[in-house]
Amino acid sequence: MKPRDTPKLHTHLGILDVSALVGGEYGAMVTTTLGDSLVILKPTIEDLVMKMARKTQVVYPKDLGLMMVKLGVHSGSRVIETGTGTGATTALMAHLVQPTGMVYTYDIRPDFQEAAVKSIERLGLSSWVTFRSGDAREGFTDRGMDAGVLDVGDPWEVVRSMKEALKPAAAMAAITPTTNQAEKLVAKMADEGFVAIETVELLLRHIEARVGMTRPSGVMVGHTAYLTFGRKTSGP
Amino acid sequence: MKPRDTPKLHTHLGILDVSALVGGEYGAMVTTTLGDSLVILKPTIEDLVMKMARKTQVVYPKDLGLMMVKLGVHSGSRVIETGTGTGATTALMAHLVQPTGMVYTYDIRPDFQEAAVKSIERLGLSSWVTFRSGDAREGFTDRGMDAGVLDVGDPWEVVRSMKEALKPAAAMAAITPTTNQAEKLVAKMADEGFVAIETVELLLRHIEARVGMTRPSGVMVGHTAYLTFGRKTSGP
Amino acid sequence: MKPRDTPKLHTHLGILDVSALVGGEYGAMVTTTLGDSLVILKPTIEDLVMKMARKTQVVYPKDLGLMMVKLGVHSGSRVIETGTGTGATTALMAHLVQPTGMVYTYDIRPDFQEAAVKSIERLGLSSWVTFRSGDAREGFTDRGMDAGVLDVGDPWEVVRSMKEALKPAAAMAAITPTTNQAEKLVAKMADEGFVAIETVELLLRHIEARVGMTRPSGVMVGHTAYLTFGRKTSGP
Amino acid sequence: MKPRDTPKLHTHLGILDVSALVGGEYGAMVTTTLGDSLVILKPTIEDLVMKMARKTQVVYPKDLGLMMVKLGVHSGSRVIETGTGTGATTALMAHLVQPTGMVYTYDIRPDFQEAAVKSIERLGLSSWVTFRSGDAREGFTDRGMDAGVLDVGDPWEVVRSMKEALKPAAAMAAITPTTNQAEKLVAKMADEGFVAIETVELLLRHIEARVGMTRPSGVMVGHTAYLTFGRKTSGP
């Protein structure tokens, strides 16, 4: 954001004088020109990831969270991923592997990766992301990975490459919107010797918890993606 | 586990000579006395957490995953938690905050915490866990926390203590099995000035992805817990 | 609908000359002025009920269907209901009990019932509906009912009236949007000697079944209402 | 059941002297030899259908209820069905179409139909069921049906037969356990000119509604079947 003389944030609740906030504390309450109150919050990694994900809207915090637990991604992890997409999953994983790990992210579409490079830079996470261009179906150049994520339209075509890139017994996760993709993927993973293969979906429901009148929200997201997990073995 | 002369693992698939595995590689396939094949996998943090959680069976990877994303727990985070319980949530968070962060875990029941201390030691995570005994309703002794987790029967009684312990704008999460608890908690959080309060539940469904005959599994877990999230503000 | 000289139906797909359809067959395809094709279908009882329900949008076919099976409503059934509301549930039940049964529907708000009377008339179902005004909490005037439906804000206040109106062992169903209502209702039903009490919720998910790319719809209804069922006993 | 000198019902709660119940009223409470109380209830159509369905366990009241509402099955309806299976769906529909309607049920497996014939007889519903043997893929012999139900492994092979049997604009429903079946079925229905085609699934969750501690049940049925609906048109 280029500095302007008098930075103002225009919202549907009125205008906010941003310059007056500099040096202030997170969690503070400020008043807009229309007299509404706003609270200044530091964006969480969830906020940042959700903002990046807007274009494709496939990966949600619920899905990312389960993937991170099942893959065991944490400080020091070396993780491989394709495709980069908007970089939302990349950003979350970079956030988790710092300060000593690395996310190797491949994409066949350089135009998508350009936007992701900028987003990751803006988040200050570039030190933990290595961008690589190329067709993952023909193999990754990285080896000995602790975990891997597939988020492409034809993940079954990348299972062999993933197997070569992973450490023995390492876990992979794949994100597929359709049952047909999950079907083909699971068959290919079994062929390549992956075990503990499971496909799941997560449904998140908001609850309106109010004293004496608690009920689930009337509208919910019905589907984001199926998540398939598996562990690499040495055979067959 | 104490070393024995001839360590054998008895399973329903036959007996496995464990001594023959020493020095072997993860992902390798071994054969039992009954001729069945087993694959040797390194336990993931999910495996370890699920094994610890067995007694209470409330917190599941799906819930923990979403909590970690929403709380932004990662390397270096300082996190506060009560109760310790079996230590399953503690272990996952310790795994994520290493090598420079810390999990401060409080429990009013020392007998529960003893088991958790041993579990955390066995997992080699003790360096990132500080166990504290005491009644969280009367206040935590730690301050400036990046995030907090409440997993007690009366979380509304601990909201004020949590507020005092958290950094400005930091996020908290609470785990409650019943709608009534979520109701009381949300009201108290609003009273204490928390914002961005939301309560959700996650339903995980297994999918039997098989070529030409894909269907969801016939049985699923219908409920684990409601998750409530919020951000601390300076007011009121 | 008043007859007009040249009845035309204006839709977002173009204008349809309705007069040309008179005497035609259901299932026929017609062409609009914009060249789009429309199929002429006879409205089902579901279409009619959903159109009536629009104002309140609480009771859905999924809920009504389960209720009708659990209450066993069919030809000849004598069913009692409060409140009448838009008459959507009334209409479905009238449809099912003809030609020898009767739906007795009570409402404390005459303005709501006026609209329902007209709707039921328009559907030609008036012979199977008896409208009664009055406060159900003070008792129903009908007795020996085969089944009963409660769709009011305070169903627990009407449980005793319902018990008096039902035949021995007859089933009742109640529709409540909140968990708090279900809680109070179930306690009262147990107090009044109802057995086989159960509360359920139904989640309906649309599936986009398309060759090679099948997936659930992205948006779904997250909540309509909790349904509580029970059977009357002679005690306590 | 053959009459015995002293009919006793042995349950896990003790023995019940059935002869003492003859002439008693439904809803009455009786005491077993072990001192436990039982309530005598008249079986509902749901109880009967669920008991019949035990062998195959695919069709549940939630699914049947939605189907009946969407098909508009009621007194006087003429409904066609294949396969007969255990006769559970048949029984529910016969219950609904009496006294002037008819259910025409086809099955290619006479052994299944024999059991269904006996079940329907025992329920006193034989007057409203016409059993027909034969391969529905080669056509139904009945015409002008108000509604139709397909519950076979290859429903797409029967769509043309169904179209011929239905009245113009009449609705059909099909029950398929897998997404692959739903996919093929929907494509075939579109080919045969059916409109308003939709596939849904219903998830039923039990709620433990208890004062101050309400929560969903921990275990639920994760999948019964996908339901596909459509309306016949004259084209193509």
Side-chain angles (χ1 to χ4, degrees):
Chain A
M1 195 169 64
K2 274 200 300 187
R4 288 172 296 173
D5 290 335
T6 53
K8 308 273 189 207
L9 181 68
H10 291 252
T11 82
H12 69 285
L13 295 174
I15 303 169
L16 191 66
D17 183 356
V18 178
S19 61
L21 300 177
V22 177
E25 195 184 43
Y26 285 121
M29 209 162 283
V30 295
T31 307
T32 69
T33 51
L34 294 181
D36 263 298
S37 294
L38 295 178
V39 176
I40 307 306
L41 297 177
K42 186 178 180 181
T44 61
I45 186 68
E46 184 204 4
D47 296 331
L48 299 170
V49 163
M50 282 305 279
K51 192 166 181 187
M52 291 172 70
R54 256 180 214 168
K55 274 185 215 159
T56 52
Q57 285 184 313
V58 165
V59 183
Y60 279 69
K62 66 182 176 70
D63 299 318
L64 288 173
L66 182 63
M67 283 166 58
M68 294 306 103
V69 170
K70 290 190 82 80
L71 296 181
V73 178
H74 71 300
S75 180
S77 295
R78 297 175 69 230
V79 189
I80 201 159
E81 172 202 36
T82 188
T84 304
T86 59
T89 309
T90 321
L92 178 67
M93 295 199 295
H95 177 75
L96 287 171
V97 304
Q98 52 185 128
T100 53
M102 182 60 69
V103 180
Y104 301 87
T105 184
Y106 290 68
D107 206 300
I108 200 170
R109 294 182 56 176
D111 55 325
F112 258 37
Q113 217 165 34
E114 271 173 42
V117 168
K118 279 181 198 157
S119 296
I120 297 289
E121 261 170 27
R122 208 177 308 126
L123 298 180
L125 293 169
S126 298
S127 303
W128 303 286
V129 180
T130 300
F131 288 93
R132 298 206 194 279
S133 281
D135 190 342
R137 292 171 293 190
E138 293 167 12
F140 295 110
T141 56
D142 302 290
R143 290 290 180 276
M145 296 291 120
D146 295 307
V149 173
L150 294 182
D151 187 4
V152 291
D154 53 356
W156 51 90
E157 300 286 356
V158 194
V159 167
R160 181 177 284 270
S161 305
M162 180 57 82
K163 185 186 173 185
E164 291 165 1
L166 291 176
K167 284 205 306 205
M172 63 160 278
I175 301 159
T176 58
T178 72
T179 54
N180 312 77
Q181 290 168 308
E183 230 178 58
K184 283 188 199 171
L185 171 64
V186 162
K188 180 66 175 171
M189 286 171 68
D191 278 354
E192 292 288 347
F194 280 81
V195 294
I197 300 171
E198 59 175 344
T199 300
V200 305
E201 62 174 342
L202 280 174
L203 289 164
L204 182 145
R205 193 150 71 140
H206 279 88
I207 307 294
E208 296 171 9
R210 287 188 292 226
V211 176
M213 42 191 287
T214 292
R215 63 203 293 171
S217 295
V219 176
M220 68 183 276
V221 172
H223 182 63
T224 55
Y226 296 106
L227 305 177
T228 298
F229 301 98
R231 307 284 299 275
K232 169 185 172 173
T233 67
S234 52
Chain B
M1 195 170 63
K2 275 200 300 187
R4 290 173 295 175
D5 290 334
T6 54
K8 308 269 190 212
L9 181 67
H10 291 252
T11 82
H12 68 288
L13 295 173
I15 303 168
L16 191 66
D17 183 356
V18 177
S19 61
L21 300 176
V22 176
E25 193 183 44
Y26 283 122
M29 208 163 284
V30 294
T31 306
T32 68
T33 52
L34 293 181
D36 263 298
S37 295
L38 295 179
V39 175
I40 307 305
L41 297 176
K42 186 179 178 181
T44 62
I45 186 68
E46 184 204 3
D47 295 332
L48 299 170
V49 163
M50 282 305 280
K51 191 165 181 186
M52 290 172 71
R54 254 180 216 167
K55 272 185 214 159
T56 51
Q57 283 184 314
V58 164
V59 184
Y60 280 69
K62 66 181 175 72
D63 299 319
L64 288 173
L66 182 63
M67 283 165 59
M68 294 305 104
V69 171
K70 290 190 83 80
L71 297 181
V73 178
H74 72 300
S75 180
S77 294
R78 297 175 69 230
V79 189
I80 201 159
E81 172 202 38
T82 188
T84 304
T86 58
T89 308
T90 320
L92 177 68
M93 296 199 294
H95 177 74
L96 287 171
V97 304
Q98 52 185 129
T100 53
M102 183 59 70
V103 180
Y104 301 87
T105 184
Y106 288 70
D107 208 298
I108 200 170
R109 295 182 55 177
D111 54 327
F112 258 34
Q113 218 166 34
E114 271 173 42
V117 168
K118 279 180 197 157
S119 296
I120 296 289
E121 262 172 25
R122 209 178 307 125
L123 297 180
L125 293 168
S126 299
S127 303
W128 303 285
V129 179
T130 300
F131 288 93
R132 298 207 193 279
S133 281
D135 189 341
R137 293 171 292 192
E138 293 167 12
F140 294 111
T141 56
D142 303 289
R143 291 291 181 274
M145 296 290 121
D146 295 305
V149 173
L150 294 183
D151 187 6
V152 292
D154 53 355
W156 52 90
E157 300 286 356
V158 193
V159 167
R160 180 177 285 271
S161 305
M162 180 58 81
K163 185 185 172 185
E164 291 166 359
L166 290 177
K167 283 206 306 206
M172 64 159 277
I175 301 158
T176 57
T178 73
T179 54
N180 312 77
Q181 289 167 308
E183 232 178 58
K184 283 187 199 170
L185 171 64
V186 162
K188 180 67 175 172
M189 285 171 69
D191 279 354
E192 292 288 347
F194 280 81
V195 295
I197 300 171
E198 59 175 344
T199 300
V200 305
E201 62 174 341
L202 279 174
L203 289 164
L204 183 144
R205 192 150 71 139
H206 279 88
I207 307 295
E208 296 170 10
R210 286 187 295 223
V211 177
M213 40 192 284
T214 292
R215 64 204 291 173
S217 296
V219 176
M220 66 183 276
V221 171
H223 182 63
T224 54
Y226 296 106
L227 305 178
T228 298
F229 302 98
R231 306 285 298 276
K232 169 184 172 173
T233 67
S234 52
Chain C
M1 197 170 61
K2 275 198 301 186
R4 288 172 296 173
D5 290 334
T6 53
K8 308 273 190 207
L9 182 67
H10 291 252
T11 82
H12 68 287
L13 295 173
I15 304 169
L16 191 65
D17 183 356
V18 177
S19 62
L21 300 176
V22 176
E25 195 183 43
Y26 284 122
M29 208 162 284
V30 294
T31 306
T32 69
T33 52
L34 293 181
D36 263 300
S37 294
L38 295 179
V39 176
I40 308 305
L41 297 176
K42 187 179 179 180
T44 61
I45 185 68
E46 184 203 4
D47 296 331
L48 299 170
V49 162
M50 283 305 279
K51 192 167 179 185
M52 292 172 70
R54 254 180 216 168
K55 273 187 215 160
T56 52
Q57 285 186 311
V58 164
V59 183
Y60 280 69
K62 66 181 175 72
D63 300 319
L64 288 173
L66 181 63
M67 283 165 58
M68 293 306 104
V69 171
K70 290 189 83 80
L71 296 181
V73 178
H74 72 302
S75 180
S77 295
R78 297 175 70 230
V79 189
I80 201 159
E81 172 202 37
T82 187
T84 303
T86 60
T89 308
T90 320
L92 178 67
M93 295 198 295
H95 177 75
L96 286 171
V97 305
Q98 52 184 131
T100 52
M102 183 60 69
V103 180
Y104 301 87
T105 183
Y106 289 69
D107 208 299
I108 200 170
R109 294 182 55 178
D111 54 326
F112 259 35
Q113 218 166 32
E114 271 173 43
V117 168
K118 280 180 198 157
S119 296
I120 296 289
E121 262 171 26
R122 208 177 309 125
L123 297 179
L125 293 169
S126 299
S127 303
W128 303 286
V129 179
T130 301
F131 288 93
R132 299 207 193 279
S133 281
D135 189 342
R137 291 171 294 192
E138 293 167 13
F140 294 110
T141 56
D142 303 289
R143 290 290 181 274
M145 296 290 121
D146 295 307
V149 173
L150 294 182
D151 187 5
V152 291
D154 53 354
W156 52 89
E157 300 286 356
V158 194
V159 167
R160 180 177 285 271
S161 305
M162 179 59 81
K163 185 185 172 184
E164 291 166 0
L166 291 175
K167 283 204 308 205
M172 64 160 278
I175 301 160
T176 57
T178 73
T179 54
N180 313 78
Q181 290 167 307
E183 230 177 59
K184 283 187 198 170
L185 171 64
V186 162
K188 180 66 175 172
M189 285 170 69
D191 280 354
E192 291 289 347
F194 281 81
V195 294
I197 300 171
E198 60 176 342
T199 300
V200 305
E201 62 174 341
L202 279 174
L203 289 163
L204 182 144
R205 193 151 70 141
H206 279 89
I207 307 294
E208 296 170 10
R210 287 187 293 223
V211 176
M213 40 191 286
T214 292
R215 63 204 291 172
S217 295
V219 176
M220 67 183 276
V221 172
H223 182 63
T224 54
Y226 296 105
L227 305 177
T228 298
F229 302 99
R231 307 283 300 275
K232 169 184 171 173
T233 67
S234 53
Chain D
M1 195 169 64
K2 277 199 299 186
R4 289 172 296 175
D5 291 336
T6 54
K8 308 271 191 210
L9 181 68
H10 290 252
T11 82
H12 67 285
L13 296 173
I15 303 168
L16 191 66
D17 183 355
V18 178
S19 61
L21 300 176
V22 176
E25 195 182 44
Y26 284 122
M29 209 163 283
V30 294
T31 305
T32 69
T33 52
L34 293 181
D36 263 297
S37 293
L38 295 178
V39 176
I40 307 307
L41 297 177
K42 186 179 180 181
T44 61
I45 186 68
E46 184 204 4
D47 296 332
L48 299 170
V49 163
M50 283 304 280
K51 191 165 181 187
M52 290 172 71
R54 255 180 214 168
K55 273 186 213 160
T56 52
Q57 284 185 313
V58 165
V59 183
Y60 279 70
K62 67 181 175 69
D63 300 318
L64 288 174
L66 182 63
M67 284 165 58
M68 294 306 104
V69 171
K70 289 189 84 78
L71 297 181
V73 178
H74 72 300
S75 179
S77 296
R78 297 175 68 231
V79 189
I80 201 159
E81 172 202 38
T82 188
T84 304
T86 59
T89 308
T90 320
L92 178 67
M93 295 199 295
H95 177 75
L96 287 171
V97 304
Q98 51 185 132
T100 53
M102 183 60 69
V103 180
Y104 301 88
T105 184
Y106 289 69
D107 207 301
I108 200 170
R109 294 182 56 176
D111 55 325
F112 258 37
Q113 218 166 34
E114 270 173 43
V117 168
K118 279 181 198 157
S119 295
I120 296 289
E121 261 172 26
R122 208 178 306 125
L123 297 180
L125 293 169
S126 299
S127 304
W128 303 285
V129 180
T130 301
F131 288 93
R132 299 207 192 279
S133 281
D135 190 341
R137 293 172 292 192
E138 293 167 12
F140 294 110
T141 56
D142 302 290
R143 291 291 180 273
M145 295 290 121
D146 295 306
V149 173
L150 294 182
D151 187 5
V152 291
D154 52 356
W156 50 90
E157 301 285 357
V158 193
V159 166
R160 180 177 285 270
S161 305
M162 179 57 81
K163 186 187 172 185
E164 290 166 1
L166 290 177
K167 283 206 305 205
M172 63 159 279
I175 301 160
T176 57
T178 72
T179 54
N180 313 78
Q181 290 167 307
E183 233 177 57
K184 282 187 200 173
L185 171 64
V186 162
K188 180 67 175 170
M189 286 171 68
D191 279 353
E192 292 287 348
F194 280 81
V195 294
I197 300 170
E198 60 175 342
T199 300
V200 305
E201 63 174 342
L202 280 174
L203 289 164
L204 182 144
R205 194 149 70 140
H206 280 89
I207 308 294
E208 296 170 9
R210 286 188 294 225
V211 176
M213 41 190 287
T214 292
R215 63 203 293 172
S217 295
V219 176
M220 68 182 276
V221 172
H223 182 63
T224 54
Y226 296 105
L227 305 178
T228 299
F229 301 99
R231 305 285 298 276
K232 170 184 173 173
T233 68
S234 52

